Every structure is written in C-alpha cells, then in structure tokens.
C-alpha cells in the first residue's frame, strides 16, 4: 500500500513523502491516526502543492520549536511515587505522566514526542529528551522522589 505522509513518522519518512507500507500498518495505524493519506491518483496530483506549503510551514514550525526548546530546557518537573525497600518504586513515571505535568504548566506536548525509552522506575534526577521537530530536541529535568522522607543520619555518642 502506498501512502502520503501528513506528519513525520519515525523510521518511515517525513511529511509529504510517498512511502510503501504494509497494508495493515497503513489501514490500522497511519490512516486512522491521520498521519497519512492514501496515495491515490487524485492525492498524488495534490502532493506538489502539499510539499510547497509544507516547506513554508516547516520553516515557521522549526523557529517556533527552537523557541519552545529554550523554554522547555528551563522546566523542572518533580514526581512523588510510593517506594518500598531499597528505594524500589511501586509504579513508574511514564511519558504520559510527563506530558500531563507539562500541560499543567502550559506546554502542550504530545506524549509520543517525549523520547522516554522506558518508564522511570528509580528515584533520582533524569534529563528526558522531548523531540519538538526534526532537528530540535529539548531536555526536561525530571526528578522522581519517594513518598518517605529520607532518614536523617544519627550520630551515636
């Protein structure tokens, strides 16, 4: 199946590209997610117009993404999770949690753009990459704390 990408898709192509994909991938993921349109004769005729407007739009979006990256690099998020023995978390901090926390601070970031390889399952400080545009990535500081206060060291006399 041939599709025309409406958005950049990782490991597949950029907006405006005509790519050949498996039928199921196109029908079940790309088309319903509005990431692509079917590459029919009518749609192929429109592709040149789409590429020209996409080029103009990309310049504006990249500039906006660079500004947002500067703002996001200053953001610090803190999460508190329940912990057990040896600072083992019950639960984790996911890209959805980070997206919700960013939205609460006024940044609308899709959770799919948060490049978290796996959920954060330990206490500590992490720098999570957020892919805003093709070549623009911001890093958000995320701190995961336990729900128990750290025991103060006692000195025996």
């Amino acid at each position: 199946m041939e599709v025309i990408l409406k958005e950049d898709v990782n490991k597949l192509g950029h907006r405006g590209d005509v790519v050949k994909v498996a039928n199921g991938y196109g029908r079940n993921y790309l088309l319903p997610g509005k990431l692509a349109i079917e590459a029919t004769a009518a749609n192929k005729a429109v592709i040149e117009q789409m590429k020209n407007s996409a080029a103009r739009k990309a310049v504006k979006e990249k500039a906006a993404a660079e500004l947002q990256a500067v703002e996001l690099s200053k953001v610090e998020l803190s999460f508190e999770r329940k912990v057990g023995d040896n600072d083992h978390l019950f639960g984790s901090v996911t890209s959805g949690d980070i997206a919700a926390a960013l939205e609460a601070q006024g940044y609308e970031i899709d959770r799919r753009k948060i490049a978290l390889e796996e959920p954060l399952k330990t206490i500590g400080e992490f720098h999570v990459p957020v892919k805003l545009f093709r070549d623009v990535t911001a890093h958000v500081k995320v701190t995961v704390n336990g729900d128990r206060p750290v025991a103060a060291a006692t000195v025996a006399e």
Side-chain angles (χ1 to χ4, degrees):
M1 160 182 249
E2 278 192 338
V3 294
I4 302 168
L5 297 177
K6 291 172 70 177
E7 297 291 328
D8 293 348
V9 179
N10 281 346
K11 299 179 184 172
L12 187 59
H14 300 294
R15 183 184 349 201
D17 290 349
V18 178
V19 293
K20 190 170 184 114
V21 296
N23 289 339
Y25 184 60
R27 273 195 317 265
N28 298 325
Y29 178 69
L30 296 175
L31 297 176
K34 307 250 189 273
L35 298 173
I37 56 175
E38 202 167 344
T40 62
N43 288 341
K44 284 183 180 180
V46 176
I47 187 113
E48 282 305 314
Q49 241 181 1
M50 199 169 131
K51 279 189 178 184
N52 290 338
S53 68
R56 288 190 303 271
K57 189 176 177 183
V59 171
K60 291 178 186 175
E61 285 180 357
K62 185 171 183 177
E66 287 171 345
L67 289 173
Q68 192 174 28
V70 171
E71 291 177 21
L72 278 176
S73 64
K74 299 173 187 172
V75 172
E76 294 183 17
L77 302 176
S78 181
F79 295 94
E80 190 172 295
R81 294 291 188 257
K82 197 170 192 171
V83 294
D85 296 334
N86 300 329
D87 292 335
H88 174 73
L89 287 183
F90 294 116
S92 60
V93 177
T94 64
S95 58
D97 296 333
I98 295 170
L102 286 172
E103 191 172 329
Q105 292 190 13
Y107 299 100
E108 287 203 27
I109 304 292
D110 185 10
R111 68 172 178 79
R112 292 177 289 187
K113 292 186 177 188
I114 298 172
L116 195 59
E117 291 179 22
E118 57 185 46
L120 304 176
K121 296 181 180 182
T122 57
I123 292 176
E125 190 174 290
F126 304 92
H127 293 279
V128 178
V130 178
K131 188 172 171 94
L132 299 173
F133 196 71
R134 253 178 238 162
D135 302 325
V136 181
T137 302
H139 291 276
V140 176
K141 183 177 173 185
V142 176
T143 306
V144 181
N145 299 313
D147 63 345
R148 286 190 267 169
V150 178
T154 57
V155 179
E157 288 187 37

